[in-house]
Amino acid sequence: MRLKFGMIGGAGGGISPMHLRGATMDHLSELKAGCFSRDIQRSKQQAAFWGLEDESRVYPDYRAMAEAEAARTGDDRLDFVTIVTPNDTHYEIAKLFMEKGFHIVCDKPLALTTEQAEELAALAKEKDLLFGITYTYSAYPMIRQARELIEHGEIGDIVFINAEYPQEWLALALTQSNTTNAMWRLDPAVVGNSQATADIGTHLEHLIKAATGLSPQRVLAKFDRIPDSLQLESNTTILCEYPNHVSGVLWASQVAIGHECDLRLRVFGTKGSIEWQHQDAGHLKVSRLAEPVQIYSAACLYNYPESTRLSRTAPGHPEGLFEAFGNIYRSFCEVLLARKEGRTPDTFTYPTVEDGVVGVRFVNACVESNRLGSVWVDV
Amino acid sequence: MRLKFGMIGGAGGGISPMHLRGATMDHLSELKAGCFSRDIQRSKQQAAFWGLEDESRVYPDYRAMAEAEAARTGDDRLDFVTIVTPNDTHYEIAKLFMEKGFHIVCDKPLALTTEQAEELAALAKEKDLLFGITYTYSAYPMIRQARELIEHGEIGDIVFINAEYPQEWLALALTQSNTTNAMWRLDPAVVGNSQATADIGTHLEHLIKAATGLSPQRVLAKFDRIPDSLQLESNTTILCEYPNHVSGVLWASQVAIGHECDLRLRVFGTKGSIEWQHQDAGHLKVSRLAEPVQIYSAACLYNYPESTRLSRTAPGHPEGLFEAFGNIYRSFCEVLLARKEGRTPDTFTYPTVEDGVVGVRFVNACVESNRLGSVWVDV
Amino acid sequence: MRLKFGMIGGAGGGISPMHLRGATMDHLSELKAGCFSRDIQRSKQQAAFWGLEDESRVYPDYRAMAEAEAARTGDDRLDFVTIVTPNDTHYEIAKLFMEKGFHIVCDKPLALTTEQAEELAALAKEKDLLFGITYTYSAYPMIRQARELIEHGEIGDIVFINAEYPQEWLALALTQSNTTNAMWRLDPAVVGNSQATADIGTHLEHLIKAATGLSPQRVLAKFDRIPDSLQLESNTTILCEYPNHVSGVLWASQVAIGHECDLRLRVFGTKGSIEWQHQDAGHLKVSRLAEPVQIYSAACLYNYPESTRLSRTAPGHPEGLFEAFGNIYRSFCEVLLARKEGRTPDTFTYPTVEDGVVGVRFVNACVESNRLGSVWVDV
Amino acid sequence: MRLKFGMIGGAGGGISPMHLRGATMDHLSELKAGCFSRDIQRSKQQAAFWGLEDESRVYPDYRAMAEAEAARTGDDRLDFVTIVTPNDTHYEIAKLFMEKGFHIVCDKPLALTTEQAEELAALAKEKDLLFGITYTYSAYPMIRQARELIEHGEIGDIVFINAEYPQEWLALALTQSNTTNAMWRLDPAVVGNSQATADIGTHLEHLIKAATGLSPQRVLAKFDRIPDSLQLESNTTILCEYPNHVSGVLWASQVAIGHECDLRLRVFGTKGSIEWQHQDAGHLKVSRLAEPVQIYSAACLYNYPESTRLSRTAPGHPEGLFEAFGNIYRSFCEVLLARKEGRTPDTFTYPTVEDGVVGVRFVNACVESNRLGSVWVDV
């Protein structure tokens, strides 16, 4: 059996091809409907490019799509919809499709305000719908390996966390006469009251949760607008307090020249530590007290099965961001397929609407902390 | 327009999912027929898994497939077939489908003997058919960048080449009670008179050609059977002489514990050098005399367009082997689409049957050199 | 001409052999007197081991040494003394020897309180004495190269600074039955009211100053006692504000398993960035907007002469911490020799008592910030 | 007790300061006599710079030095002499001083011909003299760790060896109008019938011996003169056969732009492998079948004591080439001191005249192999 899905957004390029490839690479779902652009011609072109042949299921408007697709039943009905529109529209679209009974995969952030986010989570719960959110970095095999190592006590009790996500794209974009299609990220009307923190800081928050299970109880944030002509922060430093007095420091930047998506996570425990870098995603550095450092490599059989099943090649063959997207969709589809078939799903995990709520709360607590001059704020 | 292709082989796992993903990831072609296994039930299961719905185009035998598909015409006809069967069958299958007029993509090696290889090349020329061969590593964006840098004289005249491809899989496989599905690689009946040289040494030969344009004029090889219970070499060291007295050394091993697909290429010139490693495929080290070493990163705009158009994401997002397969298929499909549409194709390149012939000649020269006690043999 | 120096402390091992080697490796000074231990037998053994043959200049007590050595004149007189005793004694010893007219090299920290530190600085100024302080990491050639690159505007205006110094020694020491000789670092009576911040955080503060010229105007610190049985912090995270609204984040830890003296400095500017890591001290990563990253290598002629003159070997030969100590002593001795010979010294630089004062002020501001719950405190 | 030594050569810079620092850094020996240059004024200046105050022991000629110093007795007598003159003079100087009864430390190569080398070895044996040779790279702590790991069977039986020593200095030197002081290396009258092989290839041969205990039984060499205006090879590739059919490949180059003293050694066994790189001398990569790769770090207590006693600092502090020189001298001096004091020395090891003989035989076998068109030649 293969699941059927629709997509809202997608004609604009950017992240949407990753969603499509991620959703289809394991042959668990296929695209059957969509509203890829408000411009129906672009939408139809995109549909044709992606091999969606039934033009009657290409819509000029997501409301029309929700209406029409909700009327379909049986094998003809979509199992889930994927939302890849600008941030400020996630809430309304997700809400509408959930009301029509569709499961959801949504790009992050879940919503702009905590209230909206919590409303979506409540609705998903009320209607018993699956709701995945593409915190993609957490789906790499070695992050899952990190999680298993930590859960099995291999590094002891966690004592400190250091995570960073430096990028340089904004420094580059600001010098170019042709504005890139990423410049919408600078517009408060679209992205809300935070830029770097909401865009990439939230990835750090979730990556830590995925690897350790921990979410911060309070935060202290310092935002920097670099250059100061920006309306929102492009650089953010955040002190975190996790349960049991575990401290952490997060840094995210969009103006860190020399860095391209250089996500890096380090978790320190009483017996050891783990370190992972996005630029070398297939490896995990594991240090144990008084022993040589170890380098774990993805797909090797010494890894936990929870990690190796996220690899699609033999050890040593690089896999990348597309496959990480695929891992989220695969986990989501496995659970949905199991539900449809009355099976108990494997313990495959994917980031859920609850993770999305935490993310929005985290960003808003950081905004508040910074606004008050970098004081501790509860999340 | 989207091309249609069939596949021979594929139910056995291994490299075939990479072919399928590679062929379809850019929406330029779709699978329409296949003979995925000699076991028709497995073949049909594979077809279903891959979404090939028309069971009448799933065949129990590649000859039956050639016969039936050759009878189809117009939009219904396959544009090309992909051959992912064991090495010893490439020749007969490719020959038959070319005789029926189909374009071909074939996994390497092209054939087991130089005669067979040259016959295929001659046939492709005679019938004016495209014939791609998946020397996948050469399709990474930074290998293409290396080629452009070298062609533009950035490192001066080439003076020495050092390439290596150490793997550890065989050392691992030999200790496992359950034999892996890769053990057919040890069988001379399937792989011919060379193992490591034919399986991975040939990747080095082609990678050098792809990056520099150079092919060796003569070789001197030393084969090692490690352990000596093997019938064929698992470790090979090859001295090469290229035109203009350029020397090179190649090393390939399947028993190099600690290495997983650690392809590494270094090309030295009179003004600089380039270095590329598969484990860090998105970067290229470029050294220029009396200047700091430079690290080029894939997808950055300072790269040549011939390189950047092989990237599918923004700089810093890892891409891997699947995308490299995709690059070969994309280039092949672009040329084929252009031909069908009467356009002149862009200068997209892919490894051709001529490259395949060179590869077979190279391997056989190495075999001969080793047999004679490591003497120089013309390629 | 060769300078003559005495040493206070040194029989305890630890850092003192580095001072001795550093002071003598360039043949600019020789050890002529010392009080290496309060135990006169150990002191004499140390003197013999180091080749100090005149036993009359080995003292049981630093006061006796100051008295006796002050009485010597002409060629017989010490040019400077080196202080390598525990932190809480630096002040009194430095003060006494300055009062006797000796130039000083002192291990960091300069003193435990800001008042003491400022008093020493004032005294040095009043008596026109050289006073070097061994912030050793700042003396690596590539830190000097970073400074020159930044001063020449190569990375534009500085916008953000990220520095870290994770170590694991304390996590290791706490599990060992035999306490190491480093455990005095945990004792407030010896080290004052800060442990990790004073011991290694201060190295970050100075390294930044050495590379950029910047000192923080205010700090916000979060101290962690890991494990909480400690009296002082073993992990510290510090937000910094530098002039012109430049932000920075510093992290230092003695319980970061997997890290050994992994000092790392990153400075981001409007046009580029620099990155240096102690574990790869001979290289400097320089990124410029829209260009490939560059790796500068020590001793290469493309570096500034201010950097290359700190190298003692040809490019590619690793130099380490001993040579960094040597660089501080060489710069100090060059200035002192020039003064003695009536020459204007080259612009060789070394960390001075003024740097030491800044260091003490920085640590105490961090202590205060943490005490108040992580609020901003002026330095 | 401290040993006394003299030096022949040294005023020319280059490697000689490393010998002096290496010999004195551990306070086991002191310079007491020398013939640093054929120009007596330069020789005296060098003596003064190095603190050798007794001008009567500075000689215009090594023969005069041998004569005069041989006449001294008791505490006044030199224990050993260090020879750092050009290659073609090693034989005659070493022979003369051995005839006068002095122990020897000599820079490599031992001599230009096998006959000379064997004569020196025989003389050392006959007169029962210690004879050290500064194959410096073998004295790094992690090479010693590799040796212990291999001897303890940690990687099983050795099956293949890959070593390389690429440098770029010659490519650089040839473009500079001012010839460097290293250009004597190009002169057959000084260096004999080999350049790259004798200068740096021999380091590979010895490094392998130091790490594994293995010496090649036969070699097959391909020399390249790059550029071809050179009289001797600047690039050399060598196939080796070690006992038990173990193969190896060595590559050394002086024109490999982008490489600076990038010595790299990999030894593969049936159970694991080790890898060491000079640019990261303080670490050793150890791979074991079916386990994560391990990174050993120098000075850590999990290393063998034979390794840790070659470290002078705490883990994480870089040590470099000076300290490697120091390790050779320390081992040599320890054995000599033990002999003088009637003790059995610890098992400290240093490269001996026997190693020097092997090195000369190796180089000459390579020369012969290349001359005959790259055929196998017994060593």
Coordinates of all heavy atoms in Angstrom, one line a residue, chain A residues 120-143:
Chain A
L120 N -3.3 24.4 17.5 CA -3.1 23.3 16.5 C -2.8 21.9 17.2 O -3.4 20.9 16.8 CB -1.9 23.6 15.6 CG -2.1 24.8 14.6 CD1 -0.9 25.0 13.8 CD2 -3.3 24.6 13.7
A121 N -2.0 22.0 18.2 CA -1.7 20.7 19.0 C -3.0 20.2 19.6 O -3.3 19.0 19.5 CB -0.7 21.0 20.1
A122 N -3.8 21.1 20.1 CA -5.1 20.6 20.7 C -6.0 20.0 19.7 O -6.7 19.0 19.9 CB -5.8 21.8 21.5
L123 N -6.0 20.6 18.6 CA -6.9 20.1 17.5 C -6.5 18.8 17.0 O -7.3 17.9 16.7 CB -6.9 21.2 16.3 CG -7.9 20.9 15.2 CD1 -9.3 20.9 15.7 CD2 -7.8 22.1 14.1
A124 N -5.1 18.6 16.8 CA -4.6 17.3 16.4 C -5.0 16.2 17.4 O -5.4 15.1 17.0 CB -3.1 17.4 16.3
K125 N -4.9 16.6 18.7 CA -5.2 15.6 19.7 C -6.7 15.3 19.7 O -7.1 14.1 19.7 CB -4.8 16.2 21.1 CG -4.8 15.2 22.2 CD -4.3 15.8 23.5 CE -4.2 14.7 24.6 NZ -3.7 15.3 25.8
E126 N -7.5 16.3 19.6 CA -8.9 16.1 19.6 C -9.4 15.3 18.5 O -10.2 14.4 18.6 CB -9.6 17.5 19.5 CG -11.1 17.5 19.4 CD -11.6 18.9 18.9 OE1 -11.0 19.9 19.3 OE2 -12.6 18.9 18.1
K127 N -8.8 15.5 17.3 CA -9.2 14.7 16.1 C -8.4 13.5 15.9 O -8.5 12.8 14.8 CB -9.2 15.7 14.9 CG -10.2 16.9 15.1 CD -10.3 17.7 13.8 CE -11.2 17.0 12.8 NZ -12.6 17.2 12.9
D128 N -7.5 13.2 16.8 CA -6.6 12.1 16.6 C -5.9 12.0 15.3 O -5.9 11.0 14.6 CB -7.4 10.8 16.9 CG -6.5 9.6 17.1 OD1 -5.4 9.7 17.5 OD2 -7.0 8.4 16.8
L129 N -5.3 13.1 14.9 CA -4.5 13.2 13.7 C -3.0 13.2 13.9 O -2.6 13.8 14.9 CB -5.0 14.5 12.9 CG -6.4 14.5 12.5 CD1 -6.8 15.9 12.0 CD2 -6.7 13.5 11.3
L130 N -2.3 12.6 13.0 CA -0.9 12.6 13.0 C -0.5 14.0 12.5 O -1.1 14.6 11.6 CB -0.2 11.6 12.1 CG -0.6 10.1 12.4 CD1 0.3 9.2 11.5 CD2 -0.4 9.8 13.9
F131 N 0.6 14.6 13.1 CA 1.0 15.9 12.7 C 2.6 15.9 12.8 O 3.1 16.0 13.9 CB 0.4 17.0 13.6 CG 0.5 18.4 13.1 CD1 -0.7 19.1 12.8 CD2 1.7 19.0 12.8 CE1 -0.6 20.4 12.3 CE2 1.8 20.3 12.3 CZ 0.6 21.0 12.1
G132 N 3.2 15.8 11.6 CA 4.7 15.8 11.6 C 5.2 17.2 11.3 O 4.5 18.0 10.6
I133 N 6.3 17.5 11.8 CA 6.9 18.8 11.5 C 8.4 18.6 11.2 O 9.1 17.8 11.8 CB 6.7 19.8 12.7 CG1 7.2 21.2 12.4 CG2 7.4 19.3 14.0 CD1 6.6 22.3 13.3
T134 N 8.8 19.2 10.1 CA 10.1 18.9 9.5 C 11.3 19.6 10.2 O 12.0 20.4 9.5 CB 10.1 19.1 8.0 OG1 9.6 20.4 7.7 CG2 9.3 18.0 7.3
Y135 N 11.6 19.2 11.4 CA 12.9 19.6 12.0 C 13.9 18.6 11.4 O 14.2 17.5 12.1 CB 12.8 19.4 13.5 CG 12.1 20.6 14.2 CD1 10.9 20.4 14.9 CD2 12.6 21.9 14.2 CE1 10.2 21.5 15.5 CE2 12.0 22.9 14.9 CZ 10.8 22.7 15.5 OH 10.2 23.8 16.2
T136 N 14.4 18.9 10.3 CA 15.0 17.9 9.5 C 16.3 17.3 10.1 O 16.6 16.2 10.0 CB 15.3 18.5 8.1 OG1 14.1 19.1 7.6 CG2 15.7 17.4 7.1
Y137 N 17.1 18.2 10.7 CA 18.4 17.8 11.1 C 18.3 16.7 12.2 O 19.3 15.9 12.3 CB 19.2 19.0 11.7 CG 19.3 20.1 10.7 CD1 18.5 21.3 10.9 CD2 20.0 20.0 9.5 CE1 18.6 22.3 9.9 CE2 20.1 21.0 8.6 CZ 19.4 22.2 8.8 OH 19.4 23.2 7.9
S138 N 17.2 16.6 12.9 CA 17.1 15.6 13.9 C 16.9 14.2 13.3 O 16.9 13.2 14.0 CB 16.0 16.0 14.8 OG 14.7 15.9 14.1
A139 N 16.7 14.1 12.0 CA 16.5 12.9 11.4 C 17.7 12.2 10.8 O 17.6 11.1 10.2 CB 15.4 13.1 10.3
Y140 N 18.8 12.8 11.0 CA 20.1 12.1 10.5 C 20.3 10.9 11.4 O 20.1 10.9 12.6 CB 21.3 13.1 10.6 CG 21.4 14.0 9.5 CD1 21.0 15.4 9.5 CD2 22.0 13.6 8.3 CE1 21.1 16.2 8.5 CE2 22.1 14.5 7.2 CZ 21.7 15.8 7.3 OH 21.8 16.6 6.2
P141 N 20.9 9.8 10.8 CA 21.1 8.6 11.5 C 22.0 8.8 12.7 O 21.8 8.1 13.8 CB 21.8 7.7 10.5 CG 21.4 8.2 9.1 CD 21.2 9.7 9.3
M142 N 23.0 9.7 12.7 CA 23.9 9.8 13.8 C 23.3 10.6 15.0 O 23.8 10.5 16.1 CB 25.2 10.4 13.4 CG 25.9 9.4 12.4 SD 25.7 7.6 12.7 CE 27.0 7.3 13.9
I143 N 22.3 11.4 14.7 CA 21.5 12.0 15.8 C 20.7 11.0 16.5 O 20.7 10.9 17.8 CB 20.6 13.2 15.3 CG1 21.5 14.3 14.8 CG2 19.7 13.6 16.4 CD1 22.3 15.0 15.8

